[in-house]
């Protein structure tokens, strides 16, 4: 979008996957903190996160993509009541 | 519906002719919600769909807002898209009209002009399309059934022209043109196909190998650039409309320009007027010419973009002009046509005197005697050089 003379007409974004380049992590006021000992790897947080910011490897929840996590706290709410493995903490300034 | 031809001529109403043009264009998608007086367009076209006479995907929707939304989605997917509406229907599309033009989608909409509520009224005036005059749509106003039919094919070419890529609204007068039967001639399907060609969209939402996003947010760092692009495109459309009108004439013998001039070249006074009322005015011109009065007509066919320079040129030698608007822009200063024409003349060395006359709202008859009355007033203005009343309602 930098070259203003060659903007695609109609505001069309002509390539896919550009959301990845948009670093929404800058908006974050609260940061999710994972307690690995409590986590059962049910992956409900992965399903519910609106920014695809839950990192999963080999079927295991291993942490957050903090470049894109905008700190909404949905994962912390959706993590099952009996588990509650995610806590939201204030971001430092 | 069976259409019978005698010596190449058919008698059709405006609505039937538009529906038939849509059948010949055979768009990929039509999403529409019928409304008086454009109902028969949608009704007859849906008949063609039901009979398998077209390949069109016909989307029935619950409102005009949805009709235009579906048109936008389909057009963004790369389809050739058409719809039709009137009055409140166009008003309900408002939000989406701007989205269609901003996304540069070449959608074709036939608007059968009808007054806007309130008070509720189903008859002709231009308050619907004139309200949408700044929505970024190209607007063509048709005088006759033949012209409405011919405009539809040209609209497809104009909208899809790569220098333009904007939606086009083809307007015709409710009931007066939409429901009256006129003699006209139809094009062959093959001629239509050759004239409009295939539509190849720049992008398609359905092309998963080349994914694109339509309708993304733009912030202060780019929004104005997109609007500037759009503004340049609609300005470029003027020459494209001329070129396509000429090509239409070369192929089919009926040439269309940005405007029609009737007995204007040597005229002392002129009426500027849109659509079917120009026909009535022509009768008045013929009568007055027989009495030796030098009167003429300028009928802009293209209202958006407005051909400012060409209008000023056309009115160069005229001493007094009345702009007759079948709509009031409620600005306290005459109708929209008046304001555009008056503004066009500002750069002219010798400006004619000019007056605004609002007529025929809500389907009030505009008669030959009304036109004669305006011409007589104009002849007096030409003589005295004084405009006694700048703006007023006539046909009261
Ligand atoms: S806080 Fe919101 S954005 Fe961040 S990981 Fe949790 S659900 Fe996703
Ligand atoms: S919802 Fe809770 S328990 Fe389930 S994977 Fe996420 S953090 Fe672990």
């Amino acid at each position: 979008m930098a070259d203003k003379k060659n903007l695609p007409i109609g505001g069309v974004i002509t390539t896919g996957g550009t959301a990845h380049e948009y670093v929404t992590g800058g908006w974050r006021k609260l940061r999710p903190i994972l307690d690995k000992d409590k986590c059962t790897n049910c992956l409900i947080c992965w399903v519910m996160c609106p920014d695809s910011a839950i990192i999963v490897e080999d079927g295991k929840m291993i942490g957050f993509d903090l470049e894109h996590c905008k700190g909404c706290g949905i994962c912390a709410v959706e993590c099952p009541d009996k588990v509650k493995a995610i806590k939201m903490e204030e971001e430092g300034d | 519906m069976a259409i019978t031809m005698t010596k190449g001529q058919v008698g059709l109403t405006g609505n039937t002719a538009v529906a038939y043009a849509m059948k010949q264009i055979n768009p990929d998608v039509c999403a529409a919600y019928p409304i008086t007086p454009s109902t028969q367009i949608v009704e007859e076209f849906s008949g063609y769909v039901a009979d398998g006479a077209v390949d069109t995907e016909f989307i029935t929707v619950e409102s005009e807002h949805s009709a235009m939304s579906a048109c936008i989605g389909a057009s963004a997917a790369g389809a050739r898209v058409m719809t039709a509406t009137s009055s409140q229907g166009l008003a309900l599309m408002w939000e989406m009209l701007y989205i269609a033009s901003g996304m540069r989608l070449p959608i074709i909409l036939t608007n059968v002009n009808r007054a806007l509520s309130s008070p509720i009224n189903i008859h002709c005036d231009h308050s619907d399309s004139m309200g949408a005059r700044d929505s970024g749509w190209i607007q063509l106003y048709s005088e006759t059934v033949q012209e409405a039919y011919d405009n539809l094919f040209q609209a497809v070419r104009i909208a899809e022209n790569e220098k333009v890529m904007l939606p086009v609204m083809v307007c015709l007068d409710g009931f007066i043109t939409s429901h009256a039967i006129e003699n006209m001639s139809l094009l062959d399907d093959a001629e239509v196909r050759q004239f409009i060609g295939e539509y190849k969209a720049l992008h398609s939402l359905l092309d998963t190998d080349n994914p694109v996003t339509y309708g993304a947010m733009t912030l202060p760092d780019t929004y104005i650039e997109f609007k500037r692009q759009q503004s340049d495109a609609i300005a470029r459309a003027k020459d494209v409309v001329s070129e396509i009108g000429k090509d239409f004439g070369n192929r089919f013998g009926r040439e269309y320009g940005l405007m029609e001039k009737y007995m204007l070249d040597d005229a002392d006074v002129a009426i500027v007027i849109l659509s079917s009322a120009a026909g009535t005015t022509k009768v008045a011109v013929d009568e007055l010419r027989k009495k030796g009065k030098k009167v003429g007509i300028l009928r802009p066919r293209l209202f958006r973009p407005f051909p400012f320079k060409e209008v000023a040129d056309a009115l160069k030698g005229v001493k007094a002009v009345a702009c007759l608007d079948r709509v009031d822009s409620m600005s306290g200063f005459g109708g929209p046509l008046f304001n555009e024409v008056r503004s066009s003349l500002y750069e002219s060395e010798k400006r004619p005197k000019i007056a605004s006359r609002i007529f025929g709202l809500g389907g009030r008859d505009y008669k030959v005697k009304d036109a004669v009355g305006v011409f007589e007033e104009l002849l007096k203005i030409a003589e005295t050089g004084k405009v006694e009343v700048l703006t007023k309602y006539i046909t009261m």
Side-chain angles (χ1 to χ4, degrees), chain A residues 34 39-46 61 75 78-80 83 85-86:
Chain A
L34 175 68
C39 172
T40 63
N41 296 308
C42 71
L43 302 190
I44 287 174
C45 57
W46 176 79
M61 151 59 167
C75 53
E78 296 296 337
C79 180
V83 184
I86 301 174

Side-chain angles (χ1 to χ4, degrees), chain A residues 1 4-16 18 22, chain B residues 102-104 165 202-203 211-214 216 221-222 225-226 229:
Chain A
M1 287 283 159
K4 292 194 172 178
K5 290 224 168 73
N6 291 307
L7 290 178
I9 73 159
V12 173
I13 300 174
T14 51
T15 49
T18 51
Y22 191 25
Chain B
M103 286 188 183
R104 309 288 299 278
M165 294 300 292
L202 214 53
H203 307 289
V212 294
T213 302
Y214 269 88
D221 63 340
T222 45
E225 273 76 19
F226 285 116
Q229 276 183 344

Side-chain angles (χ1 to χ4, degrees), chain A residues 32 45 48-51 53-54 64 68-76 88:
Chain A
C45 57
M48 303 306 284
C49 171
D51 283 282
I54 304 287
F64 307 95
H68 294 96
C69 161
K70 62 177 187 262
C72 66
I74 289 174
C75 53
M88 301 303 290

